[in-house]
PDB file of all heavy atoms in Angstrom:
ATOM      1  N   LYS A 158      -7.904 -14.604 -18.348  1.00  0.00           N
ATOM      2  CA  LYS A 158      -6.689 -14.929 -19.134  1.00  0.00           C
ATOM      3  C   LYS A 158      -6.145 -13.749 -19.762  1.00  0.00           C
ATOM      4  O   LYS A 158      -4.945 -13.490 -19.787  1.00  0.00           O
ATOM      5  CB  LYS A 158      -7.078 -15.912 -20.275  1.00  0.00           C
ATOM      6  CG  LYS A 158      -5.979 -16.443 -21.108  1.00  0.00           C
ATOM      7  CD  LYS A 158      -6.337 -17.362 -22.177  1.00  0.00           C
ATOM      8  CE  LYS A 158      -5.112 -17.918 -22.927  1.00  0.00           C
ATOM      9  NZ  LYS A 158      -4.217 -16.849 -23.479  1.00  0.00           N
ATOM     10  N   THR A 159      -6.903 -12.868 -20.336  1.00  0.00           N
ATOM     11  CA  THR A 159      -6.420 -11.562 -20.965  1.00  0.00           C
ATOM     12  C   THR A 159      -5.696 -10.748 -19.907  1.00  0.00           C
ATOM     13  O   THR A 159      -4.617 -10.115 -20.222  1.00  0.00           O
ATOM     14  CB  THR A 159      -7.615 -10.745 -21.504  1.00  0.00           C
ATOM     15  OG1 THR A 159      -8.237 -11.639 -22.503  1.00  0.00           O
ATOM     16  CG2 THR A 159      -7.100  -9.431 -22.131  1.00  0.00           C
ATOM     17  N   ILE A 160      -6.238 -10.601 -18.726  1.00  0.00           N
ATOM     18  CA  ILE A 160      -5.592  -9.725 -17.655  1.00  0.00           C
ATOM     19  C   ILE A 160      -4.270 -10.378 -17.310  1.00  0.00           C
ATOM     20  O   ILE A 160      -3.345  -9.623 -17.134  1.00  0.00           O
ATOM     21  CB  ILE A 160      -6.482  -9.692 -16.453  1.00  0.00           C
ATOM     22  CG1 ILE A 160      -7.780  -8.842 -16.765  1.00  0.00           C
ATOM     23  CG2 ILE A 160      -5.793  -9.043 -15.263  1.00  0.00           C
ATOM     24  CD1 ILE A 160      -8.878  -8.978 -15.736  1.00  0.00           C
ATOM     25  N   CYS A 161      -4.261 -11.654 -17.156  1.00  0.00           N
ATOM     26  CA  CYS A 161      -2.896 -12.316 -16.763  1.00  0.00           C
ATOM     27  C   CYS A 161      -1.875 -12.201 -17.868  1.00  0.00           C
ATOM     28  O   CYS A 161      -0.679 -11.872 -17.602  1.00  0.00           O
ATOM     29  CB  CYS A 161      -3.150 -13.795 -16.542  1.00  0.00           C
ATOM     30  SG  CYS A 161      -4.013 -14.176 -15.011  1.00  0.00           S
ATOM     31  N   ASP A 162      -2.354 -12.203 -19.129  1.00  0.00           N
ATOM     32  CA  ASP A 162      -1.371 -11.989 -20.290  1.00  0.00           C
ATOM     33  C   ASP A 162      -0.896 -10.519 -20.186  1.00  0.00           C
ATOM     34  O   ASP A 162       0.279 -10.313 -20.484  1.00  0.00           O
ATOM     35  CB  ASP A 162      -2.143 -12.210 -21.619  1.00  0.00           C
ATOM     36  CG  ASP A 162      -2.333 -13.702 -21.812  1.00  0.00           C
ATOM     37  OD1 ASP A 162      -1.789 -14.561 -21.031  1.00  0.00           O
ATOM     38  OD2 ASP A 162      -3.252 -14.117 -22.705  1.00  0.00           O
ATOM     39  N   LYS A 163      -1.831  -9.597 -19.940  1.00  0.00           N
ATOM     40  CA  LYS A 163      -1.325  -8.177 -20.005  1.00  0.00           C
ATOM     41  C   LYS A 163      -0.399  -7.919 -18.801  1.00  0.00           C
ATOM     42  O   LYS A 163       0.564  -7.155 -18.943  1.00  0.00           O
ATOM     43  CB  LYS A 163      -2.574  -7.252 -19.771  1.00  0.00           C
ATOM     44  CG  LYS A 163      -3.408  -7.160 -21.105  1.00  0.00           C
ATOM     45  CD  LYS A 163      -4.541  -6.127 -20.864  1.00  0.00           C
ATOM     46  CE  LYS A 163      -5.326  -5.869 -22.091  1.00  0.00           C
ATOM     47  NZ  LYS A 163      -6.410  -4.864 -21.859  1.00  0.00           N
ATOM     48  N   LEU A 164      -0.688  -8.518 -17.672  1.00  0.00           N
ATOM     49  CA  LEU A 164       0.257  -8.280 -16.516  1.00  0.00           C
ATOM     50  C   LEU A 164       1.657  -8.986 -16.823  1.00  0.00           C
ATOM     51  O   LEU A 164       2.633  -8.409 -16.444  1.00  0.00           O
ATOM     52  CB  LEU A 164      -0.353  -8.952 -15.274  1.00  0.00           C
ATOM     53  CG  LEU A 164      -1.446  -8.089 -14.557  1.00  0.00           C
ATOM     54  CD1 LEU A 164      -2.081  -8.874 -13.435  1.00  0.00           C
ATOM     55  CD2 LEU A 164      -0.879  -6.728 -14.078  1.00  0.00           C
ATOM     56  N   SER A 165       1.577 -10.030 -17.420  1.00  0.00           N
ATOM     57  CA  SER A 165       2.868 -10.778 -17.792  1.00  0.00           C
ATOM     58  C   SER A 165       3.720  -9.967 -18.753  1.00  0.00           C
ATOM     59  O   SER A 165       4.913  -9.913 -18.661  1.00  0.00           O
ATOM     60  CB  SER A 165       2.610 -12.181 -18.350  1.00  0.00           C
ATOM     61  OG  SER A 165       1.930 -12.945 -17.359  1.00  0.00           O
ATOM     62  N   THR A 166       3.073  -9.441 -19.758  1.00  0.00           N
ATOM     63  CA  THR A 166       3.964  -8.627 -20.775  1.00  0.00           C
ATOM     64  C   THR A 166       4.019  -7.156 -20.477  1.00  0.00           C
ATOM     65  O   THR A 166       4.961  -6.552 -20.923  1.00  0.00           O
ATOM     66  CB  THR A 166       3.161  -8.761 -22.113  1.00  0.00           C
ATOM     67  OG1 THR A 166       1.800  -8.223 -21.984  1.00  0.00           O
ATOM     68  CG2 THR A 166       3.068 -10.217 -22.604  1.00  0.00           C
ATOM     69  N   GLY A 167       3.151  -6.552 -19.612  1.00  0.00           N
ATOM     70  CA  GLY A 167       3.201  -5.238 -19.337  1.00  0.00           C
ATOM     71  C   GLY A 167       3.999  -4.740 -18.126  1.00  0.00           C
ATOM     72  O   GLY A 167       4.444  -3.587 -17.992  1.00  0.00           O
ATOM     73  N   LYS A 168       4.289  -5.684 -17.225  1.00  0.00           N
ATOM     74  CA  LYS A 168       5.052  -5.329 -15.989  1.00  0.00           C
ATOM     75  C   LYS A 168       6.487  -5.050 -16.372  1.00  0.00           C
ATOM     76  O   LYS A 168       7.064  -5.710 -17.316  1.00  0.00           O
ATOM     77  CB  LYS A 168       4.886  -6.365 -14.928  1.00  0.00           C
ATOM     78  CG  LYS A 168       5.522  -7.699 -15.196  1.00  0.00           C
ATOM     79  CD  LYS A 168       5.266  -8.680 -14.044  1.00  0.00           C
ATOM     80  CE  LYS A 168       6.013 -10.008 -14.395  1.00  0.00           C
ATOM     81  NZ  LYS A 168       5.705 -10.921 -13.234  1.00  0.00           N
ATOM     82  N   LEU A 169       7.131  -4.252 -15.604  1.00  0.00           N
ATOM     83  CA  LEU A 169       8.492  -3.896 -15.799  1.00  0.00           C
ATOM     84  C   LEU A 169       9.337  -5.109 -15.337  1.00  0.00           C
ATOM     85  O   LEU A 169       8.954  -5.852 -14.432  1.00  0.00           O
ATOM     86  CB  LEU A 169       8.916  -2.638 -15.058  1.00  0.00           C
ATOM     87  CG  LEU A 169       8.326  -1.422 -15.435  1.00  0.00           C
ATOM     88  CD1 LEU A 169       8.813  -0.265 -14.590  1.00  0.00           C
ATOM     89  CD2 LEU A 169       8.624  -1.039 -16.994  1.00  0.00           C
TER      90      LEU A 169
END
Side-chain angles (χ1 to χ4, degrees):
K158 183 180 184 308
T159 299
I160 291 164
C161 289
D162 289 344
K163 284 184 178 180
L164 283 175
S165 296
T166 57
K168 67 181 181 180
L169 296 180

